[in-house]
Amino acid sequence: MESLADLLAQERAAVARFCALLDEEREVLGGARAERLQEIAEEKAALAVELSRMESRRETRLAAEGLPSGRRGMDAWLASHPNASAERGDWQELLELAARAREGNAANGRLINLLLQQNQEALSLLVAGGAGSIYGTDGQSHRVTEGKRSLGKA
């Protein structure tokens, strides 16, 4: 069975990678590299599964030592191991990274919603159907009348 110290170090490293993916996702959302979004989403999903497994292994290890689950269990384990300064540091960093991941995920979600809203507003303007509209509700271009040239003709 893996030691709790090893599990903490692995989990901390995985959450740090998740945070890095969130940072990259935010960059991609603000730029023109949309093709990378699918890869990031797949990496995040795989990492989320891995993190869940790591948490389960940590919880199993705590239970094997007769300790409660979650933060209470880790705090109890750390209290019973006063010389576990590396583990204490890993645990603290894991908690900080997890908070950063939650905040980053929420920020990216807000950004995605904003981008969706902006795209919807732009599409609404393009298909508004007014006299000067160049796109119909089917997304196809219309010939603009009243003596104006079609945008598709030279």
Side-chain angles (χ1 to χ4, degrees), residues 113-130 132-137 139:
N113 284 333
L114 176 64
L115 292 170
L116 284 171
Q117 181 183 354
Q118 289 172 343
N119 285 340
Q120 185 60 48
E121 289 171 3
L123 285 171
S124 293
L125 289 172
L126 290 173
V127 296
S133 177
I134 59 171
Y135 295 101
T137 56

Side-chain angles (χ1 to χ4, degrees), residues 13-137:
V15 175
R17 175 68 184 130
F18 194 84
C19 287
L21 280 172
L22 289 169
D23 292 342
E24 183 181 0
E25 181 180 51
R26 193 168 23 265
E27 260 183 52
V28 169
L29 286 169
R33 296 183 337 161
E35 70 280 354
R36 178 73 176 111
L37 282 175
Q38 181 64 35
E39 295 168 11
I40 291 172
E42 290 169 2
E43 288 177 49
K44 281 176 35 184
L47 199 47
V49 169
E50 184 180 340
L51 284 166
S52 179
R53 287 182 184 142
M54 288 178 177
E55 180 182 15
S56 292
R57 290 193 335 247
R58 178 172 36 87
E59 297 297 323
T60 299
R61 184 75 178 131
L62 287 171
E65 294 193 26
L67 297 169
S69 63
R71 186 177 276 195
R72 282 186 36 228
M74 277 306 304
D75 289 343
W77 186 87
L78 289 168
S80 69
H81 294 82
N83 295 327
S85 59
E87 292 84 354
R88 192 176 322 282
D90 280 345
W91 177 243
Q92 189 58 43
E93 188 175 353
L94 175 60
L95 293 175
E96 291 167 6
L97 285 167
R100 182 175 153 215
R102 275 190 301 278
E103 292 164 9
N105 202 41
N108 288 3
R110 287 189 302 272
L111 179 56
I112 289 168
N113 284 333
L114 176 64
L115 292 170
L116 284 171
Q117 181 183 354
Q118 289 172 343
N119 285 340
Q120 185 60 48
E121 289 171 3
L123 285 171
S124 293
L125 289 172
L126 290 173
V127 296
S133 177
I134 59 171
Y135 295 101
T137 56

